[in-house]
């Protein structure tokens, strides 16, 4: 069965700092990768997704992620964070042929300070 | 807003009771998935419904069951509630067509507390 690891559980940054959140998955086959965000008091929203093609994907609000197949990684990046980026971030994966079942990591709580 | 709605928003039950949670999927979607999110954890897949039948199940006991209706809305039922069932229950709707993968859109969740 596939699994997802997010290494940073809590991250605190100052506004304008750069962000990189780690995500690794374990599965030997073809995967589809997602980053979801949960702002305080709001529902889970999709930030970006990778199905195939260019391994560098761009999402909403200036976020991007790079799929590195050899490292089984899909790290999330943003060059300059804002206070409004304070939220919990979840990496998730579905596997081809495994139905549309999302397997999530445990999440990273990001706090951006003014 | 995703167009996925869930009811109720909050629910308090006692051990041994039964609970039913409801989800209305987004227009144009025919698949509903349910997830359990315990405090401090990522969502865990419970099961998925497509064409009114269970289409995949996670590592949850049979006392977790579900239904999907012809209008694609869905219910999650949990019998014999245990304290560990306290969690946020998330519903996600998506489109299934010819095996292609489409993104899932999540509702706001139902917060269940078992005392």
């Amino acid at each position: 069965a596939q699994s997802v690891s997010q290494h940073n559980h809590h991250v605190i940054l100052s506004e304008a700092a750069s962000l990189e959140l780690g995500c690794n998955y374990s599965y030997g086959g073809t995967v589809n990768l997602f980053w979801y965000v949960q702002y305080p008091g709001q529902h889970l929203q999709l930030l970006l997704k990778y199905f195939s093609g260019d391994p560098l994907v761009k999402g909403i609000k200036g976020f991007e992620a790079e799929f590195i197949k050899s490292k089984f990684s899909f790290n999330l990046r943003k060059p300059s964070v804002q206070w409004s980026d304070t939220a919990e971030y979840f990496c998730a994966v579905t596997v081809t042929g495994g139905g549309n079942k999302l397997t999530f990591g445990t999440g990273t709580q990001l706090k951006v300070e003014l | 807003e995703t167009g996925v709605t869930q009811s109720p928003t909050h629910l308090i039950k006692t051990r041994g009771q039964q609970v039913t949670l409801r989800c209305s999927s987004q227009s144009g979607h025919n698949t509903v998935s349910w997830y359990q999110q315990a405090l401090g954890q990522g969502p865990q897949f419970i099961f998925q419904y497509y064409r009114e039948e269970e289409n995949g199940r996670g590592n949850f006991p049979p006392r977790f069951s579900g239904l999907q209706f012809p209008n694609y809305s869905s219910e999650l039922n949990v019998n014999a509630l245990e304290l560990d069932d306290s969690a946020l229950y998330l519903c996600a709707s998506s489109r299934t067509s010819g095996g292609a993968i489409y993104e899932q859109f999540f509702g706001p969740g139902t917060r269940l507390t078992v005392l």
Side-chain angles (χ1 to χ4, degrees):
Chain A
Q2 66 271 23
S3 65
V4 177
S5 298
Q6 291 183 243
H7 318 295
N8 316 99
H9 298 295
H10 292 89
V11 173
I12 301 174
L13 294 172
S14 299
E15 266 205 329
S18 64
L19 170 72
E20 180 159 3
L21 300 182
C23 172
N24 287 88
Y25 66 92
S26 65
Y27 184 72
T30 304
V31 295
N32 307 290
L33 295 154
F34 306 82
W35 275 97
Y36 280 86
V37 61
Q38 193 167 33
Y39 296 103
Q42 295 188 29
H43 58 270
L44 272 172
Q45 301 173 40
L46 184 68
L47 266 182
L48 47 79
K49 62 192 177 193
Y50 172 79
F51 287 171
S52 64
D54 188 344
L56 183 63
V57 293
K58 295 189 184 299
I60 60 172
K61 304 186 180 185
F63 287 91
E64 65 177 32
E66 185 175 12
F67 172 48
I68 303 180
K69 190 174 181 180
S70 61
K71 295 185 177 180
F72 298 89
S73 70
F74 190 56
N75 292 353
L76 181 70
R77 300 194 292 249
K78 186 171 184 179
S80 175
V81 295
Q82 300 174 305
W83 178 79
S84 57
D85 293 325
T86 294
E88 189 153 23
Y89 292 81
F90 293 94
C91 182
V93 63
T94 62
V95 301
T96 300
N100 201 5
K101 160 195 165 184
L102 283 162
T103 299
F104 284 87
T106 52
T108 297
Q109 185 67 54
L110 171 67
K111 182 178 179 182
V112 180
E113 296 178 332
L114 295 170
Chain B
E1 295 295 326
T2 61
V4 180
T5 61
Q6 292 186 243
S7 62
T9 308
H10 295 86
L11 205 50
I12 299 175
K13 292 285 189 178
T14 56
R15 272 187 306 174
Q17 285 189 311
Q18 178 265 343
V19 68
T20 297
L21 311 181
R22 295 178 175 83
C23 171
S24 292
S25 58
Q26 186 169 310
S27 177
H29 288 179
N30 56 12
T31 302
V32 173
S33 304
W34 286 92
Y35 295 82
Q36 180 196 66
Q37 187 177 11
L39 204 59
Q41 300 295 318
Q44 282 199 301
F45 177 74
I46 302 174
F47 44 54
Q48 184 180 93
Y49 277 83
Y50 170 60
R51 291 183 174 176
E52 301 178 49
E53 291 193 0
E54 190 178 285
N55 183 40
R57 187 179 185 93
N59 189 25
F60 281 82
R63 60 189 183 85
F64 285 77
S65 63
L67 285 172
Q68 187 181 34
F69 300 100
N71 66 354
Y72 306 121
S73 66
S74 177
E75 286 184 355
L76 163 66
N77 299 289
V78 187
N79 292 322
L81 284 166
E82 301 177 0
L83 296 179
D84 285 349
D85 295 333
S86 295
L88 181 68
Y89 288 84
L90 298 170
C91 166
S93 80
S94 58
R95 190 158 57 101
T96 297
S97 177
I101 297 293
Y102 296 94
E103 67 183 83
Q104 295 183 34
F105 294 84
F106 284 82
T110 293
R111 173 73 62 188
L112 173 64
T113 302
V114 182
L115 304 176

